[in-house]
Amino acid sequence: MSNMKTIYKVPSPIAKRDTSYCPGCTHGVAHRLIAELLEEMDLTKKTVIVWPVGCAVLGYYFIETDALEAAHGRACAMATGVKRVHPETFVLTYQGDGDIASIGIAETIHAAARGENITTVFINNGNYGMTGGQMAPTTLIGQVTTTSPYGRKPEMNGFPIHLPEMLATMDGPAYIARGALDNTQHILQAKKFLKKAFNTQLKGLGYALVELVSNCPTNWKMTPVESLERIRKEVLPVFPIGEFRVVKGVE
Amino acid sequence: MGEKILMKGAEAIAEAAIKAGAMAFFGYPITPQNETPEYFSRRMPEVGRIFLQAESEVAAINMIYGAACTGTRVFASSSSPGISLMQEGFSYIANSNVPCVVANVMRGGPGLGDIAPAQGDYFQATKGGGHGDYHTIVIAPHTLQEEVDLVLKAFDLAEKYRIMVVLIVDGLLGQMMEPVEFKETVDVTKFKVPEWATVGQGDREDRIIITSLDLAPEGLEKMNLHLQEKYRKIEEQEVMVEEYRMDDAEYAITAFGTMARISKTTIELARSEGIKVGLIRPITVWPFPSKTIENRANQVKFFFDTELNAGQMIEDVKLALNGARPVYFYGKMGGIVPSAEEVLEEFKKHLGGQHE
Amino acid sequence: MRKGVVIAGFGGQGVMLVGELLAEAGMEENKYVTFLPSYGPEQRGGTANCHVVISDTTIASPIVSKPDAIIVFNLPSLDKFEPTVKENGVIIINKSLVPREVRRNDVRVLQIDVQSVAEEIGSPKVMNMILLGAYTEIEKPVSLTTLKKAMSVILTGRKASLIELNEKALDRGAEIAKEFMGVI
């Protein structure tokens, strides 16, 4: 036994309990990536995560750090409050597409514009998962949701919001990227993006955001495998993977 | 003891908060309280503390919420329409049991209203303007010295009960100048992070989660019962009220803030005509001094409530009296502030010729 | 002693400064004071007024509904506040901008052509101080000396250079008032 190597384990910040996420949902993958990095970078004990309203509303039960539960969309404002008075803490916000790009877009854009030294993980699954699959600011053109039953129509519902591309036009943010959680290669790449985002805050460079293109098998009415295929076929062509803003010093 | 300084209300409240140890201010410009954030923006960097102009009142209150969760003394100010936007945060802060102090320099409403003095936010402030069963402690000073003194008291109460304390003043108290004396400066180097605050787990045995959510109804009921227990304790212990010339009063005026101040002049005018009238002035409008009012029911012939609104606090006066005495009302809306003489004239209409 | 005064004019005429100086001086003399400005959305050019109370005893209402005196800088201010002045009260008028006589005959009226007086002193900026000097001489809510002391508290930085000129204007206003009282 003694010469066996540990090649896989549950990262220490992950709680020993079941999550509230649906089978096959990539929220779990995102949680794991964050937890791995907190452990590897020895950040767990100095971290405050601000959790959103949405599927991850109970996220504080699954990643064990000091935690706050924000009002819908207000995570970046709340995180600003924490970070400004306790700059030694490591402050993360974890937000869904409705939370960050619809109701909370003002708080997000202004945190980015201020170069607020906080880090945001943004889960884009193209709909409001927790409330039953309504249209989100990231819902694709033509996509059927419970509030776009005939498919999203530009003339009626406008167009999807590309948050990283928008934020990348600004002077405030230090690191802006989009990754995807549909396959191993993309997941490993996403972890690299997240690590850069965490480092951005640790180096005091300012606001960092990583969007993670995710699935929602339940509301998409697909099997988990089908949902991951849909990410590749339909979502990534609209929301491409990439780093959109990397200021000097980010690594 | 400090010396007297002539200050504008909206600036005095800011300096009082700084002297009381406010470590951060988050706000958004709105008349008639712009002097408050402006003052903080000058002074906070001088004392090495945080001033941040938020993108909206919605963001400001959530910044306050975040900072309050770290157990830091934080202060925000706004005026009526901005306070409406903050109501979401008020409700979350209430059920998260974190302390903070917010000032509302009330202006005329509803809607965009105007920027003149008003007291139309009494219901919003005392009955819970946001969703759910909650209260904030609501303090209504009537002079600038009282305003300055009560800012420190507000922080102490906020931390004692882990609750939001709201100071309601109106545009008149915000804009007028009066000499004030800052009696105490809190030594902020002695501040410690409280044991319930979220600043990262550090050496603590357990991590801390601050949330206003419990999806299990039994769990949420428990959170509510905890709040209600806290509110009953506050109602028992923290009522502040002034009784002015009530000893021999045959009539009682009830008023808060600016209208109480004006009523004191009304009372001098009335007494010079031989009318024995006194004032019951709630300093905390929540918790409301119901007992004080009830105790005077047998002494006075009637109560006369006067406010800068259509009649809001009068409901609490009536609840306190439970029909024991008539309660009459005189109010002005739209930002009009009546003179002491006008209040007297309205008051005298109810005397039924007894003093004509 | 309790003196209530309303000072009124256009925004930018220095109405608020006059009120603030009186309040500051009152405080310097350990009196109770309140200064209540009207405030509007305009930054410049709108109407402005302030109520000042200086008293030996505590002040309840800061609203001066029946002023002992009014200082009016323009015609609309006279129209608005003339009827409110107490019987035997004082109305001090900027004659240069008020082209009518006072209608009441139960008040004392001092009209000063402040524009030409200010020109004599050497700056149109001191018109408000001439009116303040005159008011202080007649009503004596505070002494002229304290008023000058208050000026150094309020006029700081760039404005400090105006103190000398302002003091001169205060004295000139007081002189005019003395002559006026001599006439009465």
Side-chain angles (χ1 to χ4, degrees), chain B residues 177-300:
Chain B
M177 290 177 99
E178 205 166 15
V180 291
E181 184 186 344
F182 298 97
K183 292 167 187 159
E184 202 182 329
T185 302
V186 171
D187 179 3
V188 300
T189 61
K190 297 215 169 107
F191 283 169
K192 288 199 182 88
V193 176
E195 80 281 358
W196 51 262
T198 51
V199 292
Q201 187 176 340
D203 300 331
R204 253 190 276 116
E205 199 165 313
D206 296 314
R207 70 199 183 97
I208 287 164
I209 301 167
I210 296 180
T211 178
S212 61
L213 174 82
D214 195 331
L215 289 172
E218 296 76 16
L220 185 59
E221 186 189 42
K222 224 165 144 187
M223 288 172 94
N224 268 283
L225 290 172
H226 170 258
L227 287 179
Q228 292 305 318
E229 194 186 324
K230 179 161 92 175
Y231 297 152
R232 294 299 88 77
K233 205 164 149 192
I234 293 168
E235 282 174 332
E236 269 168 36
Q237 298 183 359
E238 306 299 348
V239 170
M240 290 188 277
V241 59
E242 182 196 9
E243 292 194 276
Y244 177 77
R245 306 204 69 169
M246 279 303 296
D247 285 350
D248 63 342
E250 292 172 13
Y251 310 93
I253 293 178
T254 51
F256 69 98
T258 285
M259 278 317 290
R261 190 168 183 159
I262 290 166
S263 296
K264 283 185 175 176
T265 301
T266 302
I267 286 163
E268 301 320 309
L269 294 170
R271 283 185 175 261
S272 72
E273 295 179 26
I275 306 168
K276 288 182 177 165
V277 54
L279 170 74
I280 301 175
R281 176 175 74 88
I283 299 169
T284 51
V285 284
W286 195 91
F288 191 74
S290 303
K291 286 213 177 78
T292 310
I293 289 172
E294 193 188 343
N295 289 342
R296 295 291 183 182
N298 291 328
Q299 176 188 332
V300 301

Side-chain angles (χ1 to χ4, degrees), chain A residues 76-139:
Chain A
C76 281
M78 208 176 178
T80 297
V82 175
K83 189 72 181 181
R84 288 279 174 138
V85 295
H86 277 280
E88 78 286 359
T89 53
F90 182 72
V91 184
L92 282 182
T93 73
Y94 187 102
Q95 302 178 258
D97 39 44
D99 192 81
I100 200 167
S102 189
I103 194 167
I105 198 163
E107 285 77 4
T108 309
I109 288 176
H110 282 273
R114 288 191 302 268
E116 207 64 57
N117 198 32
I118 58 173
T119 307
T120 295
V121 180
F122 158 29
I123 304 298
N124 172 6
N125 63 8
N127 75 122
Y128 285 75
M130 186 182 71
T131 45
Q134 294 82 12
M135 190 185 71
T138 48
T139 295

Side-chain angles (χ1 to χ4, degrees), chain C residues 107-156:
Chain C
V107 290
R108 290 170 288 161
V109 182
L110 170 58
Q111 294 172 308
I112 307 176
D113 182 3
V114 279
Q115 200 164 329
S116 30
V117 181
E119 271 163 26
E120 278 167 37
I121 295 167
S123 167
K125 283 185 188 163
V126 298
M127 291 199 282
N128 55 345
M129 293 298 136
I130 298 164
L131 294 167
L132 173 60
Y135 163 74
T136 308
E137 184 60 35
I138 298 170
E139 283 280 280
K140 297 193 169 50
V142 291
S143 80
L144 221 50
T145 320
T146 324
L147 212 48
K148 288 175 185 169
K149 214 172 129 196
M151 216 179 275
S152 62
V153 177
I154 289 175
L155 298 179
T156 53

Side-chain angles (χ1 to χ4, degrees), chain A residues 17-248:
Chain A
R17 62 182 290 170
D18 293 338
T19 73
S20 51
Y21 302 117
C22 303
C25 169
T26 51
H27 263 302
V29 179
H31 281 29
R32 183 182 167 96
L33 293 181
I34 291 169
E36 281 179 4
L37 286 169
L38 291 179
E39 187 176 31
E40 288 163 19
M41 300 169 80
D42 196 20
L43 291 171
T44 313
K45 301 278 182 186
K46 61 180 283 193
T47 296
V48 177
I49 304 182
V50 184
W51 293 94
V53 171
C55 287
V57 72
L58 296 174
Y60 45 77
Y61 286 139
F62 315 133
I63 299 179
E64 293 184 327
T65 67
D66 269 14
L68 302 175
E69 170 53 48
H72 196 23
R74 317 293 174 227
C76 281
M78 208 176 178
T80 297
V82 175
K83 189 72 181 181
R84 288 279 174 138
V85 295
H86 277 280
E88 78 286 359
T89 53
F90 182 72
V91 184
L92 282 182
T93 73
Y94 187 102
Q95 302 178 258
D97 39 44
D99 192 81
I100 200 167
S102 189
I103 194 167
I105 198 163
E107 285 77 4
T108 309
I109 288 176
H110 282 273
R114 288 191 302 268
E116 207 64 57
N117 198 32
I118 58 173
T119 307
T120 295
V121 180
F122 158 29
I123 304 298
N124 172 6
N125 63 8
N127 75 122
Y128 285 75
M130 186 182 71
T131 45
Q134 294 82 12
M135 190 185 71
T138 48
T139 295
L140 304 185
I141 298 300
Q143 186 179 337
V144 172
T145 71
T146 60
T147 51
S148 57
Y150 308 109
R152 180 175 189 157
K153 292 179 178 163
E155 63 274 21
M156 189 173 164
N157 311 114
F159 294 87
I161 288 176
H162 296 70
L163 190 66
E165 288 87 338
M166 273 173 63
L167 297 181
T169 64
M170 301 167 68
D171 297 325
Y175 181 71
I176 303 289
R178 178 186 292 117
L181 301 178
D182 61 302
N183 64 29
T184 316
Q185 184 202 348
H186 286 160
I187 289 169
L188 292 174
Q189 184 188 34
K191 188 175 173 185
K192 280 185 190 140
F193 290 166
L194 287 170
K195 188 168 186 177
K196 282 189 188 175
F198 284 22
N199 267 325
T200 300
Q201 181 176 164
L202 293 175
K203 291 176 110 181
L205 295 172
Y207 187 74
L209 174 141
V210 179
E211 174 178 328
L212 297 172
V213 176
S214 305
N215 65 351
C216 186
T218 301
N219 289 310
W220 292 359
K221 306 202 187 329
M222 290 175 178
T223 66
V225 172
E226 286 167 354
S227 71
L228 298 177
E229 276 164 9
R230 178 178 179 264
I231 289 179
R232 283 186 289 275
K233 278 191 196 141
E234 296 178 29
V235 186
L236 290 182
V238 181
F239 292 109
I241 291 170
E243 292 179 300
F244 299 93
R245 183 171 168 83
V246 187
V247 303
K248 214 175 143 217

Side-chain angles (χ1 to χ4, degrees), chain B residues 4-6 31-32 115-117 171-172 175-179 261-262 264-265 337-339 341, chain C residues 2 20 23-24 27 31-37 39-41 59-63 65-66 154:
Chain B
K4 285 209 149 113
I5 309 167
L6 184 69
T31 309
I115 59 174
L172 187 140
Q175 293 296 317
M176 73 174 282
M177 290 177 99
E178 205 166 15
R261 190 168 183 159
I262 290 166
K264 283 185 175 176
T265 301
V337 183
S339 67
E341 289 85 354
Chain C
R2 172 168 301 213
E20 227 178 294
E24 180 72 34
M27 187 182 71
K31 295 183 168 94
Y32 291 92
V33 296
T34 57
F35 164 84
L36 175 66
Y39 57 97
I59 302 162
S61 173
I63 299 167
S65 39
K66 289 182 180 166
I154 289 175

Side-chain angles (χ1 to χ4, degrees), chain B residues 12-32:
Chain B
I13 206 167
E15 185 57 35
I18 291 167
K19 292 255 190 320
M23 300 305 287
F25 173 90
F26 301 96
Y28 185 82
I30 182 169
T31 309

